[in-house]
Amino acid sequence: MTTAVADAHDAHDEHHGPEKGIRRWLFTTNHKDIGTMYLVFSLIMFFVGGAMALVIRSELMQPGLQFVHPEFFNQMTTMHALIMVFGAVMPAFVGLANWMIPMMIGAPDMALPRMNNWSFWILPVAFGLLLATLFMPGGAPASGWTMYPPLVLQTGDAFPFLIFSVHLMGLSSIMGAINIIVTILNMRAPDMWLLKMPMFVWTWLITAYLLIAVMPVLAGAVTMLLTDQFFGTSFFLAAGGGDPVMFQHIFWFFGHPEVYIMILPAFGIVSEIIPTFSRKPLFGHDSMVYAASSIAFLSFIVWAHHMFTVGMPLSGQMFFMFATMLIAVPTGVKVFNWIATMWKGAMTFETPMLFSLGFVFLFTIGGLSGLMLAIAPADIQYHDSYFVVAHFHYVLVPGSIFSLMAAAYYWLPKWTGYMYNETAGKWHFWTSTFFVNLTFFPMHFLGLAGMPRRIPDYSTQFADFNFMASVGAIGFGLSQLIFVYVLLTAKKGEEASDRVWEAPKGLEWTVPSPAPYHTFDTPPVKRVHEEAFE
Amino acid sequence: MNDHQPKLSNRALTARLLIFAVGMFAFGFLVLPPLYEVFCDITGFGGRTNTTAATAAENPDESRTVRIEFMAVVNSSAPWEFVPDADSMEVQPGRMYFATFSATSRAAETLVAQAVPSVSPVAANQHFKKIECFCFTSQEFAAGETRSLPLQFIVDPDLPDYVDTITLSYTLFKTENNYVSRAR
């Protein structure tokens, strides 16, 4: 990756390698550099957010208050969520999009390279602002990542920093999404028809549209919080004729598409990996596209299932309940397609495949607990309990995070040119899987037994399951250090071939390993890379 | 086998996507709040009930009675004691009734209070009509003053059959006398 390798098709050799030193990273417009920066940034944020999760789990290991003040505990739950959602999961997917989409569609780079540089470098600023709030009078935001008024208006000096950092995260996401859409729509190789696109590209196209549709709505909602606090408006203040419930509607109009923003690219990743290690084409490619599109559409009309306990007419409860359950249909199509892809395939179980299989199995558990939560009368009991915590951690940790790990192992040899340490990778998978279940499965029982979320102390009847969850969390955190070891030793293995795996599909496997600094200066044509197009 | 020429240049497509994003911000910031107001006014969603005087003719339906429950809540910022004089009453739809609440200021100076009403269930919102209410205007309290706050209401006979209890809740806020009654 350090020197430019002239592309085979290239007639006039005017390539130049990357600049040296820090200027390379500050001013780069190269999609691979920016993708790397996104991935490294999100890994750092993953560990920062993970450290906060361990503060939470340490406090909850035993009943009573042990280590932190309740106020600081609330700051930890809030910051953990904001950092994991906006700092770890989303930038990691954008990083993968930057690295892989141009290579998968045969484009030389992203369509808007300078905007690409901006959309990355806004992120460290946004999270600098957010993390700085930990040292401010009144502490970091502590009202939960959902920022419900009027509680969030009691945030101390951190309040404007919270709002502006959300603005910046939104700006970064919108710019990244626009870039991805323009790249996919305008820069595909000849013969790469829309329905020929790899699933990762497809799911990212849909995700990018979701992003530009809802991130501005979140920006609008937090701007209203800002004006309510500082400029005398009463959007959400009942005393002035406003309604705090309106914030919840606007927030979840953003928030529900947001959860699909964090899972659709994961669907794309496992749809790339499972066929490779089953040595069969993806079953039902087009139905996968339609399923992802249906999920994206439905995500806009189900938001109020987050608010069943706020009070709404029976007809409203019925609509949001059934619309939510409807999402299980396209999601089921995807799960069954993955299973059908594996059916009678010549399967092998390298690390990326293990993480993908773990994804399919454990994400489905999270999906099913989501269906339970969708039932309006039952949700009255489950709302704000640990059952909800178990549900969304099952879809986000062994869901989104496992897919990201799978993607990292799958494409790492293409990025570095060397095979990673397979033994360490397998250890990483099995320890992660064991501990993630030890952490989150008992939370289902805690929630059903009535333990509320976002509390630093609890009744002694919940002690045993909480102890298990805390041990699991520490184990899961330590397991991720194996991944860091794999990354540090990524160039110590044997050299990877261009195709890396036995039978991967896709244009990214037709370029050398490691991928040269510039790829596809001339668009690939079907007759040269016949099978990559199929 | 031919090129699929992009329909729009990068610049034109980027411009359109930017306009879409800006439009979604405008939708969230400028359109959704008034839209929510209108939606709530029409459906009675969110406990909406009239905050300006309604008019209704008396037309008693003596075949049924409905239980009205009163709640009085004080927002944490407000130094008042605030209670309904009766916790509940039985009413006949179409007949005019009076009720009173009592509030005592515990503040050392003159303060202005604003009561914000809410009606539950949603199906009753459009049928619970306040003819006169202390919530229509803000109320000034001298230090330590106790005052009786009057309410005059009528329940519309069109109230759906299955509603046999209506809860009317007031939350008392401290206000800077700048309460602008939105059309809610």
Side-chain angles (χ1 to χ4, degrees):
Chain A
M1 209 171 73
T2 48
T3 52
V5 177
D7 201 286
H9 312 291
D10 200 39
H12 48 100
D13 188 5
E14 57 189 15
H15 288 305
H16 54 87
E19 283 195 80
K20 298 286 174 241
I22 188 74
R23 289 176 59 85
R24 166 177 178 183
W25 302 105
L26 280 178
F27 302 120
T28 184
T29 55
N30 179 285
H31 73 101
K32 299 186 180 79
D33 281 352
I34 293 172
T36 304
M37 289 196 295
Y38 262 112
L39 290 170
V40 170
F41 176 82
S42 64
L43 187 66
I44 293 168
M45 285 295 131
F46 180 57
F47 280 101
V48 172
M52 291 173 175
L54 289 183
V55 172
I56 295 168
R57 281 317 321 171
S58 305
E59 180 56 56
L60 292 174
M61 199 166 216
Q62 290 181 313
L65 294 175
Q66 275 80 236
F67 302 110
V68 294
H69 288 289
E71 295 81 7
F72 188 70
F73 182 91
N74 290 343
Q75 295 171 27
M76 286 292 103
T77 55
T78 305
M79 295 287 277
H80 164 73
L82 286 168
I83 286 172
M84 285 304 197
V85 169
F86 295 104
V89 175
M90 288 170 67
F93 283 129
V94 179
L96 287 173
N98 261 296
W99 246 104
M100 301 317 299
I101 286 177
M103 285 178 16
M104 288 174 137
I105 63 174
D109 204 308
M110 299 294 280
L112 310 163
R114 287 191 181 84
M115 192 163 89
N116 208 10
N117 176 291
W118 269 103
S119 64
F120 172 75
W121 279 110
I122 285 175
L123 273 183
V125 178
F127 284 90
L129 284 180
L130 187 64
L131 288 169
T133 61
L134 283 165
F135 307 102
M136 287 178 186
S143 58
W145 81 285
T146 51
M147 302 177 280
Y148 282 179
L151 185 61
V152 73
L153 301 177
Q154 296 176 15
T155 306
D157 292 357
F159 182 74
F161 288 83
L162 167 69
I163 303 299
F164 289 137
S165 72
V166 171
H167 277 147
L168 289 176
M169 294 166 200
L171 204 58
S172 165
S173 298
I174 292 164
M175 284 161 60
I178 289 177
N179 204 352
I180 286 166
I181 295 174
V182 178
T183 305
I184 294 174
L185 291 186
N186 277 6
M187 298 187 65
R188 277 170 290 131
D191 307 313
M192 176 76 71
W193 301 98
L194 275 177
L195 275 174
K196 290 261 182 206
M197 293 196 310
M199 273 311 294
F200 180 68
V201 180
W202 252 115
T203 51
W204 242 115
L205 180 64
I206 295 164
T207 304
Y209 273 111
L210 287 180
L211 275 168
I212 58 169
V214 300
M215 290 307 289
V217 176
L218 175 68
V222 297
T223 306
M224 286 185 251
L225 288 177
L226 193 74
T227 60
D228 271 6
Q229 181 79 322
F230 295 114
F231 301 108
T233 58
S234 295
F235 286 108
F236 309 126
L237 302 177
D243 188 349
V245 175
M246 182 171 76
F247 179 85
Q248 301 187 19
H249 282 287
I250 299 176
F251 181 86
W252 287 112
F253 182 79
F254 146 81
H256 205 77
E258 167 70 13
V259 306
Y260 294 111
I261 287 166
M262 291 190 284
I263 202 66
L264 285 178
F267 289 169
I269 289 166
V270 298
S271 300
E272 298 295 329
I273 294 174
I274 289 177
T276 296
F277 298 99
S278 304
R279 290 158 184 80
K280 278 177 63 191
L282 181 67
F283 185 90
H285 176 282
D286 294 1
S287 69
M288 287 294 219
V289 172
Y290 298 132
S293 311
S294 314
I295 292 171
F297 168 75
L298 289 171
S299 73
F300 284 101
I301 57 165
V302 297
W303 75 91
H305 66 214
H306 295 270
M307 309 166 48
F308 281 142
T309 57
V310 167
M312 74 180 83
L314 184 64
S315 52
Q317 294 191 21
M318 300 276 276
F319 172 79
F320 287 110
M321 175 168 105
F322 288 124
T324 304
M325 289 178 160
L326 203 55
I327 297 178
V329 176
T331 312
V333 167
K334 293 188 104 54
V335 172
F336 285 116
N337 277 353
W338 291 322
I339 295 171
T341 305
M342 291 183 263
W343 177 253
K344 292 189 174 175
M347 290 170 70
T348 51
F349 299 95
E350 290 85 343
T351 307
M353 182 63 163
L354 288 175
F355 272 106
S356 300
L357 293 175
F359 170 92
V360 173
F361 186 68
L362 297 173
F363 171 79
T364 304
I365 293 178
L368 288 174
S369 60
L371 270 179
M372 290 172 71
L373 288 163
I375 302 168
D379 183 70
I380 306 292
Q381 163 141 10
Y382 303 153
H383 186 87
D384 261 350
S385 76
Y386 255 82
F387 192 80
V388 178
V389 179
H391 157 70
F392 67 71
H393 279 95
Y394 257 88
V395 290
L396 280 173
V397 185
S400 303
I401 300 286
F402 269 32
S403 82
L404 286 165
M405 294 299 175
Y409 283 104
Y410 186 54
W411 284 308
L412 202 56
K414 178 54 70 186
W415 299 336
T416 64
Y418 296 89
M419 292 306 287
Y420 58 84
N421 184 331
E422 184 68 41
T423 312
K426 287 205 163 86
W427 270 99
H428 178 209
F429 169 75
W430 286 111
T431 52
S432 294
T433 302
F434 175 77
F435 285 118
V436 87
N437 284 294
L438 186 63
T439 310
F440 297 116
F441 209 82
M443 291 184 186
H444 291 113
F445 307 132
L446 285 172
L448 293 179
M451 178 168 161
R453 64 191 284 211
R454 292 170 172 161
I455 48 154
D457 189 8
Y458 49 83
S459 167
T460 49
Q461 65 190 321
F462 304 127
D464 291 350
F465 282 137
N466 269 299
F467 185 77
M468 286 167 65
S470 291
V471 170
I474 294 164
F476 184 79
L478 293 176
S479 304
Q480 304 320 304
L481 297 178
I482 302 175
F483 182 62
V484 175
Y485 170 78
V486 169
L487 291 180
L488 292 177
T489 59
K491 287 193 165 186
K492 298 233 167 84
E494 58 185 276
E495 286 191 28
S497 68
D498 292 354
R499 293 172 66 80
V500 182
W501 311 107
E502 193 182 348
K505 293 275 192 277
L507 283 170
E508 75 264 37
W509 309 107
T510 64
V511 303
S513 296
Y517 199 58
H518 296 286
T519 42
F520 295 124
D521 284 349
T522 317
V525 286
K526 188 175 177 180
R527 65 180 177 279
V528 179
H529 302 296
E530 186 79 42
E531 65 191 310
F533 280 90
E534 293 310 318
Chain B
M1 175 162 157
N2 58 356
D3 286 3
H4 45 84
Q5 286 297 322
K7 289 197 184 76
L8 294 167
S9 68
N10 285 4
R11 184 181 291 265
L13 182 56
T14 307
R16 282 179 197 211
L17 293 169
L18 270 176
I19 290 168
F20 179 59
V22 172
M24 285 307 291
F25 179 82
F27 174 70
F29 190 72
L30 299 174
V31 180
L32 275 182
L35 197 67
Y36 181 79
E37 292 291 320
V38 172
F39 176 79
C40 291
D41 284 342
I42 293 171
T43 60
F45 183 87
R48 283 305 159 98
T49 174
N50 60 309
T51 50
T52 51
T55 51
E58 282 202 272
N59 175 24
D61 173 2
E62 295 181 354
S63 65
R64 64 188 286 210
T65 58
V66 178
R67 183 180 167 86
I68 309 290
E69 295 183 333
F70 297 110
M71 280 179 69
V73 180
V74 180
N75 180 265
S76 55
S77 68
W80 276 277
E81 281 176 17
F82 180 41
V83 288
D85 290 332
D87 286 339
S88 68
M89 61 195 287
E90 303 283 331
V91 304
Q92 284 177 345
R95 197 181 289 278
M96 188 90 78
Y97 290 90
F98 293 89
T100 49
F101 288 63
S102 295
T104 303
S105 171
R106 293 294 178 211
E109 70 272 34
T110 301
L111 285 180
V112 179
Q114 174 65 50
V116 176
S118 170
V119 167
S120 187
V122 171
N125 290 49
Q126 306 299 315
H127 303 289
F128 187 89
K129 294 187 168 156
K130 294 186 292 305
I131 309 300
E132 181 52 57
C133 177
F134 57 93
C135 63
F136 292 164
T137 56
S138 51
Q139 305 283 329
E140 194 174 281
F141 281 78
E145 181 184 352
T146 298
R147 182 150 9 121
S148 181
L149 301 169
L151 164 69
Q152 185 180 4
F153 66 91
I154 191 164
V155 176
D156 195 332
D158 293 338
L159 182 74
D161 294 342
Y162 57 86
V163 178
D164 54 9
T165 306
I166 298 173
T167 304
L168 172 64
S169 162
Y170 287 102
T171 306
L172 202 63
F173 290 89
K174 191 173 83 176
T175 164
E176 305 302 324
N177 207 8
N178 60 356
Y179 176 72
V180 183
S181 176
R182 291 202 201 167
R184 53 178 286 180

